[in-house]
């Protein structure tokens, strides 16, 4: 049974801006609740093979839950730059830019006040569509240029949660927007993801150093724990004694997705419930993060603790640290150009 969170639980003002909770539904009963605080997906109810609905994303039933959380990215929109920029520094058009550092010496997910931590302008367009807007000012977190961002969340009758990102700038700037839902296809807080079968259409990944910055290499996944080209249990190699797994504390890596254009890039199947999640994007990369920093301290919506590795994130993106890795696809948005990115999470049930 779907248990909707009350709007009142999110009605507050943060830095003078109104926070609220919006409910999107499709004709098949799939329901998503999204707050404009951080553009976060707060709940996402999806049926299993018996027709039982579960809320499959980690999160809280009150705004205070989010404001006091140990994990600050649950369900959030991430920007201006998804993942890490080494030492929070890059050079663009002969100027050195210094970004806020919030992950030891590095910059992570847009800095101290990333897009996860701001109140977006919100307009519900229909029962199934929400439009969020934000003006990230020149100099915010150290980035150049006024960046106008629009994100459209749409729940289609094809059982897709579509996220479309559009941005324009008045000065060249790195842009790499993504979404940070923590999924568990058994239901949030309902157990391990070990037996989820994961397939990623990526024949290469970007190896990292011991502070999770890509080395610059694009490495073949063959004969490594990163070979998800065929459906594979998430836990199969998660504790392998190899440097890459040790550096990531499990999986926390960017996969170099095969092909180009809007395409199916990943599929996750949970064998007991039969729930299937597919990921479709036009991005060249995707971060697979296996919840290695969850530790049970965050107690979520159903008063269940969110334990170590009991959720996964699939974040469509350009590669981490691209502003400093000139062999990676460029993340620089120039004035007069438009940034466009699509991420679709599509739900189905195994026949
Ligand atoms: C990063 C992790 C980080 C996590 C935060 C992921 O996208 O790659 O290193 O700890 O986000 O929730």
């Amino acid at each position: 049974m779907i248990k909707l969170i009350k709007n009142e639980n999110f009605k507050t003002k943060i830095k003078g801006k109104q926070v609220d909770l919006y409910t999107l539904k499709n004709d098949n009963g799939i329901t998503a609740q999204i707050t404009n605080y951080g553009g976060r997906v707060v709940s996402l109810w999806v049926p299993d093979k018996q027709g039982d609905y579960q809320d499959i994303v980690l999160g809280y039933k009150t705004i205070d839950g989010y404001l006091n959380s140990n994990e600050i990215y649950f369900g959030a929109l991430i920007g201006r730059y998804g993942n890490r920029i080494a030492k929070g520094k890059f050079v663009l058009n002969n100027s050195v830019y210094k970004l806020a550092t919030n992950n030891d010496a590095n910059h992570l997910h847009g800095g101290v006040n990333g897009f996860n931590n701001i109140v977006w302008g919100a307009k519900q367009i229909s029962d199934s569509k929400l439009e969020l807007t934000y003006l990230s000012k020149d100099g915010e977190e150290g980035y150049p240029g006024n960046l106008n961002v629009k994100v459209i969340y749409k729940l289609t009758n094809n059982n897709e949660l579509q996220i479309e990102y559009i941005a324009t700038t008045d000065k060249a700037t790195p842009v790499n927007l993504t979404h940070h839902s923590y999924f568990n296809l058994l239901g949030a807080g309902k157990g391990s993801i070990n037996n989820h079968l994961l397939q990623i259409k990526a024949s290469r990944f970007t190896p990292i150093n011991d502070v999770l910055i890509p080395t610059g290499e694009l490495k073949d996944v063959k004969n490594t724990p990163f070979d998800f080209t065929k459906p594979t249990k998430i836990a199969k190699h998660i504790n392998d004694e190899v440097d890459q797994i040790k550096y990531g504390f499990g999986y926390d890596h960017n996969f170099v997705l095969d092909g180009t254009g809007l395409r199916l890039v990943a599929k996750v199947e949970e064998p007991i419930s039969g729930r299937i999640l597919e990921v479709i994007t036009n991005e060249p990369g995707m971060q697979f993060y296996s919840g290695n920093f969850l530790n049970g301290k965050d107690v979520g919506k159903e008063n269940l603790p969110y334990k170590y590795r009991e959720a996964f994130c699939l974040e469509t993106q350009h590669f981490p640290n691209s502003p400093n890795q000139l062999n990676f696809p460029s993340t620089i948005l120039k004035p007069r150009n438009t940034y466009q990115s699509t991420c679709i999470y599509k739900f189905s049930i195994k026949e």
Side-chain angles (χ1 to χ4, degrees):
M1 208 197 35
I2 297 179
K3 284 173 255 166
L4 285 185
I5 294 167
K6 295 191 197 112
N7 288 29
E8 296 91 271
N9 295 3
F10 281 80
K11 271 199 198 297
T12 186
K13 283 201 169 163
I14 295 180
K15 293 190 187 141
K17 290 189 180 160
Q18 186 61 47
V19 176
D20 220 323
L21 185 67
Y22 300 85
T23 301
L24 306 185
K25 263 192 195 138
N26 76 359
D27 290 351
N28 309 320
I30 293 184
T31 305
Q33 290 185 290
I34 299 169
T35 172
N36 59 327
Y37 170 64
R40 292 162 190 263
V41 173
V42 171
S43 71
L44 179 55
W45 291 87
V46 176
D48 70 359
K49 60 186 176 197
Q50 324 286 359
D52 286 337
Y53 283 76
Q54 278 293 336
D55 181 1
I56 59 159
V57 292
L58 275 50
Y60 299 98
K61 57 178 178 246
T62 64
I63 185 71
D64 286 345
Y66 288 94
L67 297 175
N68 298 319
S69 182
N70 209 37
E71 166 50 61
I72 58 175
Y73 300 111
F74 283 146
L77 292 176
I78 304 292
R80 229 180 251 204
Y81 200 96
N83 217 279
R84 290 173 178 79
I85 296 180
K87 308 248 160 59
K89 239 195 215 163
F90 63 93
V91 178
L92 180 59
N93 297 334
N94 299 321
S95 300
V96 180
Y97 290 95
K98 190 81 198 74
L99 304 172
T101 49
N102 58 334
N103 189 244
D104 298 324
N106 300 314
H107 175 86
L108 174 66
H109 292 334
V112 179
N113 277 306
F115 292 0
N116 59 298
N117 199 25
I118 54 111
V119 179
W120 294 71
K123 191 161 144 202
Q124 182 143 10
I125 308 288
S126 69
D127 285 351
S128 59
K129 195 166 165 182
L130 178 70
E131 195 179 281
L132 300 175
T133 49
Y134 180 60
L135 169 64
S136 167
K137 296 233 173 87
D138 190 4
E140 192 176 286
E141 300 297 302
Y143 287 104
N146 291 296
L147 186 76
N148 257 301
V149 191
K150 186 190 275 190
V151 178
I152 300 162
Y153 277 109
K154 190 172 174 201
L155 203 49
T156 71
N157 289 333
N158 210 10
N159 302 330
E160 298 171 338
L161 178 64
Q162 298 186 345
I163 312 170
E164 190 182 5
Y165 306 84
I166 297 160
T168 53
T169 184
D170 56 6
K171 272 187 205 162
T173 177
V175 183
N176 187 30
L177 307 180
T178 191
H179 173 83
H180 213 304
S181 271
Y182 283 70
F183 295 100
N184 182 324
L185 299 184
L186 282 166
K190 300 272 162 90
S192 168
I193 55 163
N194 284 351
N195 294 330
H196 285 49
L197 294 168
L198 171 65
Q199 183 176 17
I200 306 178
K201 297 191 173 196
S203 26
R204 292 172 299 168
F205 74 108
T206 51
I208 50 177
N209 66 16
D210 60 353
V211 289
L212 290 93
I213 302 288
T215 60
E217 186 192 357
L218 307 184
K219 192 175 161 66
D220 209 311
V221 296
K222 226 175 263 155
N223 303 319
T224 75
F226 299 87
D227 189 351
F228 286 99
T229 52
K230 300 204 174 64
T232 306
K233 280 189 183 178
I234 285 183
K236 188 165 182 208
H237 293 290
I238 205 168
N239 292 318
D240 278 13
E241 287 286 319
V242 296
D243 282 348
Q244 280 305 308
I245 291 285
K246 286 186 197 156
Y247 292 161
F249 306 98
Y251 292 103
D252 194 350
H253 295 76
N254 171 66
F255 286 72
V256 180
L257 300 170
D258 296 338
T260 54
L262 196 63
R263 64 219 187 279
L264 175 72
V265 298
K267 182 173 177 182
V268 190
E269 185 189 314
E270 197 292 301
I272 300 168
S273 63
R275 286 192 189 87
I276 292 175
L277 162 65
E278 289 172 311
V279 184
I280 297 159
T281 188
N282 60 350
E283 287 291 329
M286 185 181 72
Q287 189 82 6
F288 166 40
Y289 169 59
S290 54
N292 312 310
F293 299 116
L294 296 173
N295 55 16
K297 281 192 194 154
D298 289 318
V299 177
K301 287 170 279 194
E302 298 286 305
N303 294 324
L304 296 170
Y306 294 147
K307 297 192 206 137
Y308 182 55
R309 291 186 180 159
E310 289 196 350
F312 63 91
C313 303
L314 295 173
E315 304 155 61
T316 59
Q317 61 184 11
H318 270 55
F319 308 166
N321 199 32
S322 299
N324 295 307
Q325 280 293 347
L326 300 181
N327 60 321
F328 287 177
S330 172
T331 51
I332 305 302
L333 176 68
K334 296 188 183 135
R336 288 182 292 282
N337 288 350
T338 301
Y339 171 94
Q340 192 281 335
S341 175
T342 304
C343 171
I344 300 174
Y345 295 114
K346 179 170 182 181
F347 302 99
S348 57
I349 294 161
K350 192 172 163 61
E351 298 292 310

